[in-house]
Amino acid sequence: MFQENISKLYKQFVRLAFNITIITLIIGLFVGIFRTVSELGLTVTEAQVLIAFVIREFMLHLFEGKLSGMDVFFWSFGIVSLIAARAISFFYRAPKG
């Protein structure tokens, strides 16, 4: 009788520990997903990443044969303009205040 009670108590503690572990892992998973998504959101909004996306799209369209003639000129002009604007903003910062 005493041994059965101890066995039942042990099983309850094992179930409780298992459930707490599962809940902790699920909470950790959601926290990790939230942090990853928020960091990606901040990364995508940075100016250098945006320039990289523009260059990537240009290269994809160019190698797929979707761009020709004036399209290549306008894309190239746009990319050079972005790089020039980024360089100007790097050297000439607006005064704070």
Side-chain angles (χ1 to χ4, degrees):
M1 184 75 140
F2 180 72
Q3 189 174 1
E4 290 176 6
N5 290 335
I6 296 294
S7 178
K8 287 180 183 178
L9 186 63
Y10 177 75
K11 286 180 183 179
Q12 291 297 327
F13 278 122
V14 169
R15 286 181 185 156
L16 180 67
F18 180 76
N19 289 334
I20 289 173
T21 303
I22 295 297
I23 291 170
T24 304
L25 289 173
I26 289 173
I27 291 171
L29 174 69
F30 285 121
V31 168
I33 289 172
F34 175 76
R35 288 187 66 206
T36 302
V37 168
S38 66
E39 287 175 7
L40 283 176
L42 294 174
T43 302
V44 170
T45 58
E46 292 181 10
Q48 291 177 350
V49 175
L50 292 175
I51 290 172
F53 280 138
V54 169
I55 293 172
R56 177 186 169 271
E57 288 298 317
F58 169 67
M59 297 303 287
L60 286 175
H61 288 299
L62 186 64
F63 287 124
E64 288 176 355
K66 294 181 180 177
L67 295 178
S68 62
M70 290 303 286
D71 289 334
V72 175
F73 171 74
F74 287 130
W75 271 90
S76 300
F77 182 72
I79 291 171
V80 169
S81 299
L82 283 172
I83 293 171
R86 184 73 178 137
I88 289 171
S89 70
F90 180 74
F91 290 114
Y92 300 104
R93 300 217 181 247
K96 294 181 180 179

